Amino acid sequence: MTSEQHNEQSPQRPPERSPERPREQTPGQLPTVTYAFAVCRRCDPAALAGLPGLDDAAPVRTLAAGPLTAVVQDVSAVDFAEDALRQRLTDRDELERCARAHHEVIMAASAVTPTVPLPFATLYLGDARARAALREKEESFLAALGRFTGRVEWGVKVYTAPAPPASSPAPPPSDAAPGVAPGTAPGVAAGNGRAYLDRVRSRHQVREQHQNDALQAAERVDAVVRGLAVAARRLRPHGVEVTGAHRTHVLNAAYLIDSARESELRAALEALRREETAVQIELSGPWAPYSFADGPDGGVPR
């Protein structure tokens, strides 16, 4: 998923609490809860066929609620209880598996119909509770689906290009005061010290200028892509643990763009890559509109 996606992406929350009991189970069947992936108007169940979802013991299915349809799956109430879910989120491999499964279902639905992605671990104690939640936010979901129709999310990341190698300033002599060598005249020693400090200062200035150039280039990239988008969001840049020490993440943004403008977007970024030599520009997508599924741009409160 990106995503960093977006990663970068979906908020995590514990299962919904409610005095309602899980729906009745057939004899010998373990209790389940309803895991919700996404909301759409209608979704062809064939688009979801074969997806394992979070628990391949039950199929990914659709759940109608008036004009809306939720994409859901029955999952073990024990495995997705609050304590078990919290432990699952601390297991990196298991968290990655679940996040990928969540993403795959959302992308499968969004490939055939406008879709509002739901946060990872959106759980209800049964279908009745899930339907009630959809009815409660029906107006907001419908508004968001109208906004997403014919549009997709693209991610743009901008990094500083690797700086040209700079020679390290030679250190001052270690057996005397900075810039002073045994038997060196005072004037010569002072000159050597000033030259060393000038080289250090110059190296810092070059580094700062390189960073400033990258930040300005990132703003120009953002301005061009915003001009093609109907909505945009700045996301938190990644740290060196993701980017590596050789470059700095200076722009991490998501854009909601008409699907018909994909070729225009790609052409604009190719031109920017030629012009903005101080940075590296990466494009990802198209994605379901994860970054616009809540708040004022998406119109879907949580």
Side-chain angles (χ1 to χ4, degrees):
M1 85 187 278
T2 127
S3 294
E4 270 89 343
Q5 209 135 129
H6 202 96
N7 30 270
E8 202 64 71
Q9 250 125 245
S10 300
Q12 297 166 358
R13 65 183 184 188
E16 181 192 44
R17 288 182 173 275
S18 167
E20 178 192 347
R21 298 173 59 189
R23 62 181 178 278
E24 293 184 4
Q25 310 293 320
T26 58
Q29 181 182 2
L30 294 176
T32 62
V33 292
T34 301
Y35 185 105
F37 297 92
V39 176
C40 49
R41 287 193 183 91
R42 291 174 298 277
C43 182
D44 182 358
L48 309 174
L51 291 172
L54 273 295
D55 184 351
D56 57 10
V60 177
R61 59 188 174 88
T62 58
L63 177 67
L68 298 172
T69 297
V71 179
V72 302
Q73 183 178 34
D74 298 332
V75 296
S76 166
V78 174
D79 292 344
F80 282 83
E82 187 169 353
D83 290 344
L85 181 58
R86 185 180 298 110
Q87 182 175 0
R88 180 177 298 225
L89 297 181
T90 62
D91 182 330
R92 184 171 181 175
D93 292 339
E94 177 64 6
L95 174 59
E96 182 176 355
R97 183 194 72 81
C98 291
R100 286 185 181 278
H102 183 86
H103 172 70
E104 286 173 1
V105 173
I106 291 172
M107 291 301 293
S110 66
V112 296
T113 185
T115 300
V116 178
L118 294 177
F120 176 69
T122 298
L123 291 153
Y124 300 96
L125 293 180
D127 285 0
R129 291 287 303 194
R131 285 192 176 98
L134 265 62
R135 287 194 296 269
E136 180 183 347
K137 298 178 181 178
E138 180 179 298
E139 184 177 343
S140 293
F141 278 123
L142 288 173
L145 288 168
R147 187 174 178 81
F148 296 159
T149 299
R151 294 165 176 162
V152 292
E153 177 176 326
W154 291 91
V156 174
K157 300 182 190 297
V158 177
Y159 303 88
T160 56
S167 58
S168 299
S174 59
D175 57 348
V180 179
T184 302
V188 174
N192 288 342
R194 281 193 299 271
Y196 169 76
L197 294 176
D198 286 345
R199 288 194 296 272
V200 171
R201 188 179 302 111
S202 176
R203 187 174 62 174
H204 289 168
Q205 289 173 343
V206 168
R207 186 182 300 118
E208 289 177 1
Q209 185 61 51
H210 186 68
Q211 182 71 7
N212 288 337
D213 289 345
L215 290 171
Q216 293 174 16
E219 292 302 322
R220 291 190 290 269
V221 171
D222 180 59
V224 169
V225 183
R226 279 178 183 266
L228 300 173
V230 298
R233 281 191 172 174
R234 293 283 189 100
L235 308 174
R236 182 181 301 173
H238 298 309
V240 294
E241 67 279 0
V242 175
T243 66
H246 64 289
R247 61 180 184 171
T248 303
H249 200 178
V250 291
L251 176 69
N252 186 16
Y255 305 90
L256 187 65
I257 298 177
D258 291 340
S259 299
R261 306 193 76 171
E262 177 177 348
S263 59
E264 191 177 352
L265 169 65
R266 292 186 182 278
L269 288 180
E270 280 303 312
L272 285 166
R273 290 187 181 102
R274 292 191 296 270
E275 297 166 4
E276 303 293 352
T277 57
V279 294
Q280 297 172 335
I281 304 170
E282 294 181 358
L283 175 68
S284 65
W287 308 111
Y290 286 97
S291 301
F292 304 94
D294 65 342
D297 287 338
V300 182
R302 291 203 182 109

